């Protein structure tokens, strides 16, 4: 009992030290959690989902027998995007609309949140292990494992769902990032530290009741006004310019608009969220610059995930969408660069 209190006290103090937006400790009875997840996400992955989602859907539903069977508790944390350390450099921007492309603020101005949250959770794991006086088995997930993170966040009481499908955390809106530390540590007394995990009947935030600003802000129709809180994955710009590995169709390219990486209109339009503003990335730098120098900068950000090749394809799509004289000039230069690289 005393050990449990010490660990929970450490978690509370560390959460303050790390300036977390919120945290919850979730007792992890796999069968109970699986039942609750089943009320929140579809039993089968939509056929339009990317392969990595479809192939891991049963794990996300916790119906694969061996998956996470050892877990006894989960520490679920949220960090406000404004508390992610800022980059120590500025990505090149362009004032010329014809040769610029939008990059979401969280990606263009902040360090990679995956690394930041993973470091925070590693500190929690280290402290918990020291207090437990035994080797505690832990596993960290920050968008890095087949885990229904948003569903677990809701079940734990960390937040509710917005109509934009993001987790809405009290006083921070949907401008947070979530990370989870799974452990094999069972807490004998949880009433003082854990929120109820019984009610999953109404996951939609009360803040969204009469508000549809995020749905109205989405230019591609990815958010469904008939079924608030649902999401057409294949229409989302974040899917198109980050996840989609195959070539964009003409329709998909047009849906991309001016966004080279991500799109946060459904988040920045939320009146309860203070999102960083996107930047106008210099596409001449991205397309014609030195590969190694570009990668060296991009690797500090979430822009590294699609890779330079994909980012450049996105830049080409944006230039084609703009179809301005300077846009065409840059496209011509890029084609010449590619041609010369093959001939040299």
């Amino acid at each position: 009992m005393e050990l449990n209190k010490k660990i929970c006290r450490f978690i509370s103090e560390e959460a303050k030290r790390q300036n977390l937006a919120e945290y919850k400790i979730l007792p992890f009875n796999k069968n109970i959690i699986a039942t609750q997840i089943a009320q929140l996400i579809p039993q089968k992955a939509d056929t339009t989902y990317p392969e990595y989602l479809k192939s891991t859907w049963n794990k996300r539903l916790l119906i694969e027998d061996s998956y996470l069977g050892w877990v006894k508790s989960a520490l679920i944390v949220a960090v406000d995007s404004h508390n992610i350390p800022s980059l120590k450099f500025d990505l090149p921007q362009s004032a010329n609309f014809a040769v610029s492309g939008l990059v979401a603020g969280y990606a263009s101005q902040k360090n990679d949140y995956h690394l930041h949250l993973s470091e925070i959770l590693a500190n929690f794991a280290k402290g918990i292990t020291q207090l437990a006086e035994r080797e505690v088995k832990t596993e960290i997930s920050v968008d890095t494992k087949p885990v229904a993170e948003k569903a677990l966040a809701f079940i734990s009481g960390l937040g509710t769902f917005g109509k934009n499908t993001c987790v809405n955390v009290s006083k921070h809106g949907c401008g947070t990032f979530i990370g989870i530390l799974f452990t094999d540590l069972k807490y004998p007394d949880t009433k003082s530290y854990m929120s109820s995990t019984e009610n999953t009947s109404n996951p939609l935030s009360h803040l969204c009741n009469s508000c549809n600003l995020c749905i109205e802000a989405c230019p591609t129709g990815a958010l469904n006004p008939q079924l608030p809180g649902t999401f057409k994955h294949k229409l989302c710009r974040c899917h198109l310019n980050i996840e989609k590995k195959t070539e964009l169709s003409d329709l998909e390219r047009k849906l991309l608009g001016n966004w080279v990486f991500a799109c946060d209109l459904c988040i920045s339009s939320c009146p309860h969220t203070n999102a960083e503003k996107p930047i106008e990335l210099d596409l001449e730098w991205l397309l014609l610059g030195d590969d190694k120098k570009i990668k060296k900068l991009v690797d500090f950000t979430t822009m590294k995930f699609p890779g330079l090749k994909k980012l450049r394809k996105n830049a080409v799509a944006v230039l084609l969408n703009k179809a301005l004289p300077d846009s065409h000039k840059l496209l011509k230069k890029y084609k010449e660069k590619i041609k010369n690289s093959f001939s040299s």
Side-chain angles (χ1 to χ4, degrees), residues 95-234:
N96 183 353
F97 174 78
V99 294
S100 66
L102 290 170
V103 175
Y106 77 86
S108 59
Q109 300 167 44
K110 298 290 184 175
N111 286 337
D112 181 3
Y113 71 88
H114 301 87
L115 298 178
H116 180 66
L117 268 170
S118 294
E119 184 178 327
I120 287 175
L121 290 170
N123 286 334
F124 276 111
K126 182 180 179 180
I128 289 169
T129 298
Q130 288 174 343
L131 287 170
E133 297 179 345
R134 71 169 176 87
E135 192 62 38
V136 178
K137 184 175 181 179
T138 63
E139 195 167 317
I140 291 171
S141 177
V142 186
D143 291 341
T144 49
K145 298 184 185 302
V147 175
E149 291 174 328
K150 290 192 287 186
L152 291 176
F154 172 74
I155 293 167
S156 73
L158 186 87
T160 51
F161 293 156
K163 289 183 180 179
N164 56 9
T165 76
C166 296
V167 174
N168 202 319
V169 177
S170 178
K171 298 181 182 179
H172 297 269
C174 47
T176 64
F177 296 105
I178 296 169
I180 302 178
L181 174 67
F182 296 104
T183 80
D184 66 350
L185 193 65
K186 188 174 182 179
Y187 292 79
D189 176 18
T190 61
K191 291 181 181 178
S192 301
Y193 305 102
M194 301 181 187
S195 57
S196 171
T197 62
E198 296 174 358
N199 179 25
T200 57
S201 60
N202 184 25
L204 200 63
S205 172
H206 69 280
L207 297 172
C208 301
N209 286 346
S210 59
C211 179
N212 289 307
L213 289 177
C214 60
I215 294 174
E216 294 165 3
C218 179
T220 66
L223 300 177
N224 192 341
Q226 279 72 47
L227 293 170
T230 60
F231 171 62
K232 299 175 185 176
H233 199 274
K234 66 178 181 179

Side-chain angles (χ1 to χ4, degrees), residues 9-10 43 91 161 180 207 209 215 249-250 253 258 274:
R9 191 179 302 118
F10 159 73
Q43 291 302 287
L91 291 172
F161 293 156
I180 302 178
L207 297 172
N209 286 346
I215 294 174
S249 67
D250 285 344
R253 186 252 302 167
N258 299 332
N274 180 22

